[in-house]
Amino acid sequence: MRGLRCAGAVAVLVLALGGCASQQYYDERGKADAPVAGRAGEDSPAEVYNFPDGFGNLATKCVGKGRRAYATTKFVQQEDEDEVIVIPANAVIVDDPRCQAP
């Protein structure tokens, strides 16, 4: 009986961990980062400004000499699925003399 309970606990653990989102899960849905040849892209973190629920958050970072990018997101919950869909609401690149070449 103890072996059966142990096997049941292991099965529940495997199922729970199997439900965690993986890189493959996001790749298949087109939600992962775009691939970069030789992983040579600049991947420093952006500054993120969080707004209250219902408003898009703002992220910004330098994207080259003299250029700054701003991007916002809007979260949309579909009624017939449990998954939250993240939709880009706006993206802009502006001149910013404070941004230096890497």
Side-chain angles (χ1 to χ4, degrees):
M1 185 66 156
R2 184 175 182 194
L4 184 59
R5 279 189 287 196
C6 184
V10 169
V12 168
L13 182 62
V14 167
L15 289 173
L17 292 177
C20 293
S22 66
Q23 185 65 38
Q24 180 181 356
Y25 174 86
Y26 289 112
D27 286 342
E28 290 171 352
R29 287 157 182 77
K31 295 182 179 186
D33 286 337
V36 177
R39 302 198 49 81
E42 192 279 319
D43 63 354
S44 66
E47 296 175 55
V48 177
Y49 300 92
N50 296 318
F51 287 87
D53 287 346
F55 294 91
N57 295 328
L58 173 71
T60 181
K61 70 182 280 185
C62 292
V63 293
K65 182 174 171 57
R67 300 279 189 249
R68 176 171 291 279
Y70 292 93
T72 61
T73 57
K74 180 178 179 184
F75 295 89
V76 177
Q77 177 74 40
Q78 289 186 342
E79 292 181 20
D80 58 345
E81 294 181 22
D82 293 330
E83 188 173 355
V84 173
I85 308 298
V86 179
I87 299 173
N90 199 2
V92 142
I93 297 177
V94 298
D95 291 335
D96 186 344
R98 295 173 295 174
C99 292
Q100 301 299 316

